Amino acid sequence: MIDVYLFSGFLGSGKTTLLKHMIGQVKAQGLKPAVFMNELGQTNFDSDSVDDGVPLKELLDGCICCSGSEKSEAQIQTLLAEETFDVLMIETTGAAHPVEALDAIFSPLFAERLNFKGIITVADSKRWLSRDELSPQIRSLFLEQIRHADLILANKMDLLTEGEQAKTIFELQSLNPAAQIIQTVHSKVPFKQLEKTTAKKSDDVVKAPVAKLNLDTRVLRFEAGVKRERFEEWLRTLPDTVYRIKGYVPLEGDKYPHAFQYAYGMAQWLPEYMKMQPQIVVIGEGLEGVELP
C-alpha cells in the first residue's frame, strides 16, 4: 500500500513550500516519494521545486476536481505503472475543492493500492483574518478547503500578533473542530505529524456547494531585463483580486532570471543559477488590463 497525502489550500498559502519540506523528510527516512501536481495555467513553475529523481506527473491548464478529473486519474495510473515509490503527495491547485479532488484518488483502477492518509490544508493565517474582503465565491472555497481538512497548518503565523494568532486558531477550530491544527512558519512541520493524520470516513464528509469560480490566469513574458524597483512599484499598483504571481523575472545586470513568488501583497525573490524562461503567471479575478510595466 502506498500512503497518499493530498495538499490543499488557497493560492499562495504555502503548499509548494510544504511539498519541498516533505520530499526531503520522506527521503531522509529512506522512503521514496512521488509527486502529482496540478496547475491552473499552461506552465507549472512549481514543478521546478521537485528534486531530480523524484517521480513527477502534472496536470496543467485544468483542475483536478472538475474537467481534469479523468486526466488526473490517467496520470496517477501512469505513475503507478512506471515507477516504484512509497509515498504519493498530491498538490492541488489553489482553486480546487479538496473533496472533489479525491475522485482521482479513489479510482477503481488503482484504489486498492493506495492508503489515503488525509487532506492537509495549508491555511494562510493573514488572509484568514481578511477573508471578508474576498469575493463570495473565493471566500466560500477558502472556507471549504479548511472545513474538509484532516490536518490544518495555520501558516504564516510570524506575520500576526499574539492576539491575532489566538483569534485565528480559535476561529479555525470553530470551523473544523475535528481537525488537528498546527501553527507553522514557512510551512515547516515534521513529517511524523502527517503520518499521524487519519482521513475522515467518506460518509462523514458533506460537501457544501461552491459556486463556479471566476479565477483566470495570464502568462506575461519579458522581452528584456527590468529594474527591480520599477517591478515592485508595478506590484503595488495591482488590484487586490490578483491572488498569486509566480515565475522568473529577468533583472537588469543579472545573468539569470530570479525565481519570483507573490501572494497577499508580499513578494519573494530567489536567485537562480541557470537560464529559465523569463515569464510569470498571474492568477486572480478580473485580470483584464494587467500588463507588465
Side-chain angles (χ1 to χ4, degrees):
M1 295 287 286
I2 297 170
D3 288 344
V4 180
Y5 299 90
L6 190 146
F7 296 162
S8 175
F10 192 62
L11 299 161
S13 60
K15 297 187 300 298
T16 303
T17 303
L18 172 65
L19 177 65
K20 291 174 64 177
H21 292 324
M22 292 304 104
I23 288 174
Q25 293 186 51
V26 169
K27 293 170 70 174
Q29 291 191 15
L31 302 173
K32 184 174 181 179
V35 174
F36 177 68
M37 303 184 80
N38 180 207
E39 184 57 75
L40 282 175
Q42 297 179 352
T43 304
N44 191 357
F45 294 102
D46 292 336
S47 62
D48 296 331
S49 304
V50 179
D51 298 345
D52 291 340
V54 175
L56 168 69
K57 291 293 182 182
E58 302 171 280
L59 173 66
L60 303 180
D61 202 20
C63 183
I64 187 175
C65 62
C66 45
S67 60
S69 181
E70 291 184 1
K71 293 180 181 178
S72 300
E73 182 179 307
Q75 291 282 54
I76 294 175
Q77 186 177 13
T78 301
L79 191 61
L80 290 167
E82 295 179 349
E83 304 284 351
T84 300
F85 51 92
D86 305 296
V87 179
L88 174 60
M89 291 173 280
I90 300 176
E91 181 185 343
T92 64
T93 174
H97 189 295
V99 176
E100 292 180 350
L102 295 180
D103 288 345
I105 301 173
F106 292 114
S107 166
L109 297 175
F110 46 73
E112 73 283 351
R113 298 181 57 187
L114 304 181
N115 176 33
F116 181 62
K117 296 285 289 183
I119 297 171
I120 317 300
T121 293
V122 185
D124 184 329
S125 300
K126 191 170 181 62
R127 189 181 294 277
W128 170 262
L129 294 176
S130 59
R131 62 192 180 278
D132 290 340
E133 299 174 8
L134 300 171
S135 67
Q137 295 91 344
I138 295 296
R139 183 169 62 251
S140 177
L141 174 65
F142 189 32
L143 296 177
E144 286 291 285
Q145 290 171 338
I146 294 168
R147 182 178 290 116
H148 293 291
D150 300 299
L151 172 64
I152 299 171
L153 303 185
N155 199 30
K156 305 185 183 181
M157 276 289 171
D158 56 319
L159 303 180
L160 306 185
T161 66
E162 290 187 4
E164 289 173 332
Q165 291 176 5
K167 174 180 173 66
T168 297
I169 297 302
F170 174 78
E171 292 177 346
L172 291 176
Q173 287 178 331
S174 299
L175 180 62
N176 186 347
Q180 180 185 8
I181 301 176
I182 300 176
Q183 300 182 46
T184 60
V185 176
H186 301 305
S187 301
K188 290 184 178 180
V189 62
F191 178 62
K192 64 181 180 181
Q193 292 292 342
L194 272 65
E195 290 183 298
K196 296 177 182 178
T197 305
T198 303
K200 299 182 180 73
K201 296 180 180 179
S202 58
D203 54 3
D204 291 338
V205 176
V206 179
K207 184 183 67 177
V210 177
K212 179 177 175 60
L213 301 179
N214 295 316
L215 284 178
D216 191 16
T217 63
R218 296 197 66 183
V219 177
L220 304 180
R221 297 177 173 85
F222 296 87
E223 299 298 330
V226 297
K227 292 184 178 181
R228 177 166 172 170
E229 295 79 9
R230 185 183 178 195
F231 185 79
E232 291 183 340
E233 287 177 4
W234 172 73
L235 291 175
R236 290 190 284 271
T237 68
L238 294 175
D240 293 337
T241 53
V242 172
Y243 301 121
R244 186 86 160 97
I245 302 175
K246 52 190 173 181
Y248 300 95
V249 180
L251 297 179
E252 288 185 357
D254 289 348
K255 184 176 180 181
Y256 302 116
H258 283 238
F260 179 76
Q261 302 274 351
Y262 172 90
Y264 202 75
M266 292 176 287
Q268 180 182 27
W269 299 85
L270 293 173
E272 279 289 337
Y273 302 100
M274 62 181 69
K275 188 174 182 179
M276 308 299 292
Q277 187 72 20
Q279 61 186 23
I280 55 175
V281 173
V282 182
I283 306 173
E285 298 176 286
L287 300 182
E288 299 84 2
V290 175
E291 301 287 351
L292 289 172

